[in-house]
């Protein structure tokens, strides 16, 4: 699962820093408080808002947002927020509603709840991928024909561009006096990102067609971008824990086939994930097991969006060679 004490202390410290702001939110007096449901969203916003904003987040890089159980301290953080950045594809379904209700922040509920998935290229879940999982009822209800978007869209670097644009628009709406600054920051970041995307695409081109296995349906976006073939997911459904029979069947099904890698995220760890079984599957299939971060983090190697994807691609390419 995750180390709750470590996670809570770190996130609470971030929240406490944000809550120390006083006075009306105006750049000449205090900074705007922008809160992301995840640290990735908040850190991306900081690259656009710069010194005009302070940031906070609810789920840190070391916690799985699917199973987060944020306490009431985060409702206090949301109460002070000027903007709330949300995934927009049901990632926070299990916990955000109650936090928003307890926050009693009407301006967020009214107009400052920003859906970062708008204009992103969303890959769909099938109803079958969600059936009999904890996500099925809140996302699809009883309508098995309803489309649901895979909420890990930020793991395609090209989708960071509409996310940046959505953040920029929200900041300009909030603070029109400084619109030119937000425009400049956003465009500069997008220009850098577009150049890096060309570089990353070129580096990944030789690996098109490589077969991989993904534990969760998070690396679907990166694989789709670069033509990697995900031949199987270890989870039988989204957030559905695999049984011994699933590992055994997968080992049998792909025996003798060339599987380049098995991918997991850093948030997928014991006791929720049986890492030993995953590694054992990799040994049986002669495939390397790679654990990648699925979020930016306050870390010298991946605290900004360029550094984050540089890190991911460096680790991924080393395994695929």
């Amino acid at each position: 699962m995750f180390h709750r004490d470590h996670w809570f202390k770190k996130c609470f410290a971030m929240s406490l820093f944000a809550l120390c702001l006083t006075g009306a939110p105006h750049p000449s007096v205090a900074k705007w408080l922008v809160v992301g449901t995840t640290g990735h969203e908040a850190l991306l916003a900081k690259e656009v808002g710069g010194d005009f904003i302070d940031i906070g987040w609810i789920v840190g890089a070391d916690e799985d947002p699917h199973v987060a159980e944020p306490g009431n301290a985060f409702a206090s953080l949301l109460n002070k927020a000027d903007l709330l950045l949300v995934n927009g594809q049901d990632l926070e379904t299990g916990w955000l509603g109650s936090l928003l209700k307890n926050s009693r922040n009407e301006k967020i509920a009214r107009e400052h709840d920003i859906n970062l998935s708008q204009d992103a290229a969303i890959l769909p879940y099938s109803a079958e991928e969600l059936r009999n999982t904890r996500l099925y009822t809140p996302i699809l209800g009883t309508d098995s024909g309803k489309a649901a978007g895979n909420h890990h869209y930020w793991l395609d670097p090209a989708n960071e561009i509409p996310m940046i644009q959505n953040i920029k628009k929200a900041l300009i709406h909030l603070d029109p006096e400084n619109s030119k600054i937000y425009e400049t920051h956003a465009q500069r970041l997008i220009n850098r990102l577009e150049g890096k995307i060309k570089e990353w695409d070129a580096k990944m081109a030789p690996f098109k067609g490589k077969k991989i296995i993904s534990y969760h349906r998070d690396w679907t976006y990166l694989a789709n971008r670069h033509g990697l073939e995900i031949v199987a997911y270890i989870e039988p459904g989204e957030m559905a824990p695999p049984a011994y029979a699933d590992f055994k069947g997968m080992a049998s099904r792909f025996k003798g086939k060339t599987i380049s890698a098995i991918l997991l995220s850093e948030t997928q760890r014991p006791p929720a994930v049986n890492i030993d079984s995953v590694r054992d599957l990799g040994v049986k299939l002669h495939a390397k097991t790679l654990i990648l971060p699925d979020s930016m983090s306050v870390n010298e190697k991946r605290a900004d969006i360029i550094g984050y994807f540089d890190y991911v691609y460096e680790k991924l390419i080393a395994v695929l060679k």
Side-chain angles (χ1 to χ4, degrees), residues 126-149:
S126 68
E128 201 57 41
E129 288 178 297
L130 299 182
R131 196 181 305 280
N132 297 324
T133 72
R134 60 186 296 168
L135 298 175
Y136 182 79
T137 299
I139 293 180
L140 295 184
T142 57
D143 180 6
S144 61
K146 178 184 174 183

PDB file of all heavy atoms in Angstrom, residues 126-149:
ATOM      1  N   SER A 126     -12.676  -0.143 -21.218  1.00  0.00           N
ATOM      2  CA  SER A 126     -13.871  -0.895 -21.565  1.00  0.00           C
ATOM      3  C   SER A 126     -14.641  -1.165 -20.277  1.00  0.00           C
ATOM      4  O   SER A 126     -14.065  -1.165 -19.177  1.00  0.00           O
ATOM      5  CB  SER A 126     -13.501  -2.227 -22.232  1.00  0.00           C
ATOM      6  OG  SER A 126     -12.873  -3.094 -21.294  1.00  0.00           O
ATOM      7  N   ALA A 127     -15.933  -1.385 -20.398  1.00  0.00           N
ATOM      8  CA  ALA A 127     -16.729  -1.706 -19.211  1.00  0.00           C
ATOM      9  C   ALA A 127     -16.190  -2.957 -18.532  1.00  0.00           C
ATOM     10  O   ALA A 127     -16.206  -3.077 -17.304  1.00  0.00           O
ATOM     11  CB  ALA A 127     -18.192  -1.903 -19.602  1.00  0.00           C
ATOM     12  N   GLU A 128     -15.665  -3.872 -19.341  1.00  0.00           N
ATOM     13  CA  GLU A 128     -15.155  -5.130 -18.781  1.00  0.00           C
ATOM     14  C   GLU A 128     -13.932  -4.905 -17.904  1.00  0.00           C
ATOM     15  O   GLU A 128     -13.720  -5.623 -16.920  1.00  0.00           O
ATOM     16  CB  GLU A 128     -14.823  -6.105 -19.920  1.00  0.00           C
ATOM     17  CG  GLU A 128     -14.779  -7.563 -19.503  1.00  0.00           C
ATOM     18  CD  GLU A 128     -16.074  -8.034 -18.873  1.00  0.00           C
ATOM     19  OE1 GLU A 128     -17.162  -7.664 -19.364  1.00  0.00           O
ATOM     20  OE2 GLU A 128     -16.000  -8.758 -17.857  1.00  0.00           O
ATOM     21  N   GLU A 129     -13.124  -3.918 -18.239  1.00  0.00           N
ATOM     22  CA  GLU A 129     -11.933  -3.633 -17.428  1.00  0.00           C
ATOM     23  C   GLU A 129     -12.306  -3.114 -16.041  1.00  0.00           C
ATOM     24  O   GLU A 129     -11.530  -3.243 -15.094  1.00  0.00           O
ATOM     25  CB  GLU A 129     -11.042  -2.609 -18.138  1.00  0.00           C
ATOM     26  CG  GLU A 129     -10.318  -3.160 -19.347  1.00  0.00           C
ATOM     27  CD  GLU A 129      -9.492  -2.095 -20.039  1.00  0.00           C
ATOM     28  OE1 GLU A 129     -10.085  -1.113 -20.536  1.00  0.00           O
ATOM     29  OE2 GLU A 129      -8.258  -2.250 -20.097  1.00  0.00           O
ATOM     30  N   LEU A 130     -13.502  -2.514 -15.933  1.00  0.00           N
ATOM     31  CA  LEU A 130     -13.935  -1.962 -14.651  1.00  0.00           C
ATOM     32  C   LEU A 130     -14.934  -2.857 -13.920  1.00  0.00           C
ATOM     33  O   LEU A 130     -15.165  -2.675 -12.723  1.00  0.00           O
ATOM     34  CB  LEU A 130     -14.572  -0.579 -14.860  1.00  0.00           C
ATOM     35  CG  LEU A 130     -13.682   0.495 -15.468  1.00  0.00           C
ATOM     36  CD1 LEU A 130     -14.439   1.816 -15.567  1.00  0.00           C
ATOM     37  CD2 LEU A 130     -12.413   0.689 -14.658  1.00  0.00           C
ATOM     38  N   ARG A 131     -15.521  -3.824 -14.631  1.00  0.00           N
ATOM     39  CA  ARG A 131     -16.543  -4.673 -14.022  1.00  0.00           C
ATOM     40  C   ARG A 131     -15.979  -5.428 -12.817  1.00  0.00           C
ATOM     41  O   ARG A 131     -14.855  -5.899 -12.826  1.00  0.00           O
ATOM     42  CB  ARG A 131     -17.079  -5.659 -15.061  1.00  0.00           C
ATOM     43  CG  ARG A 131     -18.400  -6.325 -14.649  1.00  0.00           C
ATOM     44  CD  ARG A 131     -18.842  -7.312 -15.715  1.00  0.00           C
ATOM     45  NE  ARG A 131     -18.942  -6.687 -17.026  1.00  0.00           N
ATOM     46  CZ  ARG A 131     -19.973  -5.949 -17.420  1.00  0.00           C
ATOM     47  NH1 ARG A 131     -20.977  -5.726 -16.596  1.00  0.00           N
ATOM     48  NH2 ARG A 131     -19.991  -5.429 -18.629  1.00  0.00           N
ATOM     49  N   ASN A 132     -16.791  -5.513 -11.780  1.00  0.00           N
ATOM     50  CA  ASN A 132     -16.422  -6.224 -10.551  1.00  0.00           C
ATOM     51  C   ASN A 132     -15.225  -5.595  -9.838  1.00  0.00           C
ATOM     52  O   ASN A 132     -14.506  -6.265  -9.101  1.00  0.00           O
ATOM     53  CB  ASN A 132     -16.115  -7.705 -10.836  1.00  0.00           C
ATOM     54  CG  ASN A 132     -17.332  -8.446 -11.375  1.00  0.00           C
ATOM     55  OD1 ASN A 132     -18.457  -8.190 -10.969  1.00  0.00           O
ATOM     56  ND2 ASN A 132     -17.096  -9.365 -12.312  1.00  0.00           N
ATOM     57  N   THR A 133     -14.990  -4.315 -10.083  1.00  0.00           N
ATOM     58  CA  THR A 133     -13.933  -3.595  -9.379  1.00  0.00           C
ATOM     59  C   THR A 133     -14.573  -2.490  -8.552  1.00  0.00           C
ATOM     60  O   THR A 133     -15.745  -2.139  -8.742  1.00  0.00           O
ATOM     61  CB  THR A 133     -12.910  -2.977 -10.344  1.00  0.00           C
ATOM     62  OG1 THR A 133     -13.510  -1.861 -11.020  1.00  0.00           O
ATOM     63  CG2 THR A 133     -12.440  -3.996 -11.376  1.00  0.00           C
ATOM     64  N   ARG A 134     -13.799  -1.886  -7.663  1.00  0.00           N
ATOM     65  CA  ARG A 134     -14.309  -0.821  -6.802  1.00  0.00           C
ATOM     66  C   ARG A 134     -14.669   0.429  -7.590  1.00  0.00           C
ATOM     67  O   ARG A 134     -15.360   1.324  -7.088  1.00  0.00           O
ATOM     68  CB  ARG A 134     -13.264  -0.470  -5.730  1.00  0.00           C
ATOM     69  CG  ARG A 134     -11.955   0.009  -6.287  1.00  0.00           C
ATOM     70  CD  ARG A 134     -10.905   0.194  -5.210  1.00  0.00           C
ATOM     71  NE  ARG A 134     -11.279   1.242  -4.279  1.00  0.00           N
ATOM     72  CZ  ARG A 134     -10.667   1.454  -3.120  1.00  0.00           C
ATOM     73  NH1 ARG A 134      -9.694   0.661  -2.742  1.00  0.00           N
ATOM     74  NH2 ARG A 134     -11.032   2.446  -2.340  1.00  0.00           N
ATOM     75  N   LEU A 135     -14.206   0.534  -8.849  1.00  0.00           N
ATOM     76  CA  LEU A 135     -14.472   1.715  -9.661  1.00  0.00           C
ATOM     77  C   LEU A 135     -15.738   1.584 -10.507  1.00  0.00           C
ATOM     78  O   LEU A 135     -16.233   2.582 -11.025  1.00  0.00           O
ATOM     79  CB  LEU A 135     -13.282   1.990 -10.596  1.00  0.00           C
ATOM     80  CG  LEU A 135     -11.947   2.306  -9.920  1.00  0.00           C
ATOM     81  CD1 LEU A 135     -10.846   2.434 -10.962  1.00  0.00           C
ATOM     82  CD2 LEU A 135     -12.041   3.574  -9.101  1.00  0.00           C
ATOM     83  N   TYR A 136     -16.263   0.366 -10.641  1.00  0.00           N
ATOM     84  CA  TYR A 136     -17.350   0.138 -11.601  1.00  0.00           C
ATOM     85  C   TYR A 136     -18.603   0.938 -11.260  1.00  0.00           C
ATOM     86  O   TYR A 136     -19.124   1.695 -12.084  1.00  0.00           O
ATOM     87  CB  TYR A 136     -17.691  -1.349 -11.680  1.00  0.00           C
ATOM     88  CG  TYR A 136     -18.768  -1.653 -12.699  1.00  0.00           C
ATOM     89  CD1 TYR A 136     -18.459  -1.717 -14.053  1.00  0.00           C
ATOM     90  CD2 TYR A 136     -20.101  -1.835 -12.324  1.00  0.00           C
ATOM     91  CE1 TYR A 136     -19.440  -1.969 -15.008  1.00  0.00           C
ATOM     92  CE2 TYR A 136     -21.081  -2.093 -13.257  1.00  0.00           C
ATOM     93  CZ  TYR A 136     -20.751  -2.167 -14.596  1.00  0.00           C
ATOM     94  OH  TYR A 136     -21.722  -2.406 -15.528  1.00  0.00           O
ATOM     95  N   THR A 137     -19.077   0.800 -10.033  1.00  0.00           N
ATOM     96  CA  THR A 137     -20.327   1.465  -9.662  1.00  0.00           C
ATOM     97  C   THR A 137     -20.214   2.983  -9.657  1.00  0.00           C
ATOM     98  O   THR A 137     -21.052   3.661 -10.260  1.00  0.00           O
ATOM     99  CB  THR A 137     -20.825   0.961  -8.297  1.00  0.00           C
ATOM    100  OG1 THR A 137     -21.075  -0.451  -8.400  1.00  0.00           O
ATOM    101  CG2 THR A 137     -22.108   1.675  -7.887  1.00  0.00           C
ATOM    102  N   PRO A 138     -19.179   3.583  -9.018  1.00  0.00           N
ATOM    103  CA  PRO A 138     -19.124   5.052  -9.029  1.00  0.00           C
ATOM    104  C   PRO A 138     -18.881   5.658 -10.398  1.00  0.00           C
ATOM    105  O   PRO A 138     -19.301   6.780 -10.659  1.00  0.00           O
ATOM    106  CB  PRO A 138     -17.969   5.380  -8.070  1.00  0.00           C
ATOM    107  CG  PRO A 138     -17.166   4.140  -7.981  1.00  0.00           C
ATOM    108  CD  PRO A 138     -18.126   3.017  -8.160  1.00  0.00           C
ATOM    109  N   ILE A 139     -18.204   4.933 -11.295  1.00  0.00           N
ATOM    110  CA  ILE A 139     -17.899   5.505 -12.611  1.00  0.00           C
ATOM    111  C   ILE A 139     -18.954   5.138 -13.646  1.00  0.00           C
ATOM    112  O   ILE A 139     -19.485   5.990 -14.362  1.00  0.00           O
ATOM    113  CB  ILE A 139     -16.506   5.048 -13.095  1.00  0.00           C
ATOM    114  CG1 ILE A 139     -15.418   5.656 -12.199  1.00  0.00           C
ATOM    115  CG2 ILE A 139     -16.272   5.477 -14.541  1.00  0.00           C
ATOM    116  CD1 ILE A 139     -14.018   5.278 -12.585  1.00  0.00           C
ATOM    117  N   LEU A 140     -19.295   3.867 -13.723  1.00  0.00           N
ATOM    118  CA  LEU A 140     -20.222   3.418 -14.763  1.00  0.00           C
ATOM    119  C   LEU A 140     -21.635   3.189 -14.253  1.00  0.00           C
ATOM    120  O   LEU A 140     -22.562   3.057 -15.039  1.00  0.00           O
ATOM    121  CB  LEU A 140     -19.703   2.122 -15.405  1.00  0.00           C
ATOM    122  CG  LEU A 140     -18.396   2.231 -16.184  1.00  0.00           C
ATOM    123  CD1 LEU A 140     -18.071   0.915 -16.844  1.00  0.00           C
ATOM    124  CD2 LEU A 140     -18.470   3.331 -17.227  1.00  0.00           C
ATOM    125  N   GLY A 141     -21.799   3.113 -12.925  1.00  0.00           N
ATOM    126  CA  GLY A 141     -23.118   2.817 -12.383  1.00  0.00           C
ATOM    127  C   GLY A 141     -23.601   1.470 -12.867  1.00  0.00           C
ATOM    128  O   GLY A 141     -22.862   0.494 -12.866  1.00  0.00           O
ATOM    129  N   THR A 142     -24.818   1.415 -13.324  1.00  0.00           N
ATOM    130  CA  THR A 142     -25.366   0.151 -13.842  1.00  0.00           C
ATOM    131  C   THR A 142     -25.407   0.143 -15.361  1.00  0.00           C
ATOM    132  O   THR A 142     -25.901  -0.794 -15.972  1.00  0.00           O
ATOM    133  CB  THR A 142     -26.791  -0.076 -13.306  1.00  0.00           C
ATOM    134  OG1 THR A 142     -27.609   1.053 -13.679  1.00  0.00           O
ATOM    135  CG2 THR A 142     -26.777  -0.196 -11.784  1.00  0.00           C
ATOM    136  N   ASP A 143     -24.886   1.193 -15.970  1.00  0.00           N
ATOM    137  CA  ASP A 143     -24.926   1.309 -17.429  1.00  0.00           C
ATOM    138  C   ASP A 143     -23.618   0.783 -18.018  1.00  0.00           C
ATOM    139  O   ASP A 143     -22.628   1.484 -18.108  1.00  0.00           O
ATOM    140  CB  ASP A 143     -25.119   2.771 -17.818  1.00  0.00           C
ATOM    141  CG  ASP A 143     -25.169   2.964 -19.340  1.00  0.00           C
ATOM    142  OD1 ASP A 143     -25.165   1.938 -20.059  1.00  0.00           O
ATOM    143  OD2 ASP A 143     -25.213   4.118 -19.770  1.00  0.00           O
ATOM    144  N   SER A 144     -23.603  -0.473 -18.424  1.00  0.00           N
ATOM    145  CA  SER A 144     -22.363  -1.098 -18.908  1.00  0.00           C
ATOM    146  C   SER A 144     -21.931  -0.562 -20.268  1.00  0.00           C
ATOM    147  O   SER A 144     -20.823  -0.831 -20.707  1.00  0.00           O
ATOM    148  CB  SER A 144     -22.549  -2.618 -18.995  1.00  0.00           C
ATOM    149  OG  SER A 144     -23.591  -2.934 -19.900  1.00  0.00           O
ATOM    150  N   GLY A 145     -22.792   0.215 -20.917  1.00  0.00           N
ATOM    151  CA  GLY A 145     -22.428   0.758 -22.220  1.00  0.00           C
ATOM    152  C   GLY A 145     -21.794   2.132 -22.147  1.00  0.00           C
ATOM    153  O   GLY A 145     -21.331   2.660 -23.149  1.00  0.00           O
ATOM    154  N   LYS A 146     -21.749   2.721 -20.966  1.00  0.00           N
ATOM    155  CA  LYS A 146     -21.188   4.059 -20.818  1.00  0.00           C
ATOM    156  C   LYS A 146     -19.677   4.045 -21.002  1.00  0.00           C
ATOM    157  O   LYS A 146     -18.991   3.149 -20.532  1.00  0.00           O
ATOM    158  CB  LYS A 146     -21.532   4.605 -19.426  1.00  0.00           C
ATOM    159  CG  LYS A 146     -20.962   5.981 -19.137  1.00  0.00           C
ATOM    160  CD  LYS A 146     -21.283   6.397 -17.704  1.00  0.00           C
ATOM    161  CE  LYS A 146     -20.592   7.700 -17.347  1.00  0.00           C
ATOM    162  NZ  LYS A 146     -20.844   8.073 -15.940  1.00  0.00           N
ATOM    163  N   ALA A 147     -19.141   5.050 -21.680  1.00  0.00           N
ATOM    164  CA  ALA A 147     -17.693   5.138 -21.884  1.00  0.00           C
ATOM    165  C   ALA A 147     -17.033   5.740 -20.652  1.00  0.00           C
ATOM    166  O   ALA A 147     -17.582   6.618 -20.004  1.00  0.00           O
ATOM    167  CB  ALA A 147     -17.395   5.992 -23.106  1.00  0.00           C
ATOM    168  N   ALA A 148     -15.879   5.231 -20.319  1.00  0.00           N
ATOM    169  CA  ALA A 148     -15.087   5.781 -19.215  1.00  0.00           C
ATOM    170  C   ALA A 148     -13.671   5.989 -19.708  1.00  0.00           C
ATOM    171  O   ALA A 148     -13.112   5.135 -20.401  1.00  0.00           O
ATOM    172  CB  ALA A 148     -15.119   4.827 -18.020  1.00  0.00           C
ATOM    173  N   GLY A 149     -13.068   7.117 -19.353  1.00  0.00           N
ATOM    174  CA  GLY A 149     -11.722   7.425 -19.804  1.00  0.00           C
ATOM    175  C   GLY A 149     -10.675   6.926 -18.827  1.00  0.00           C
ATOM    176  O   GLY A 149     -10.835   7.045 -17.612  1.00  0.00           O
TER     177      GLY A 149
END
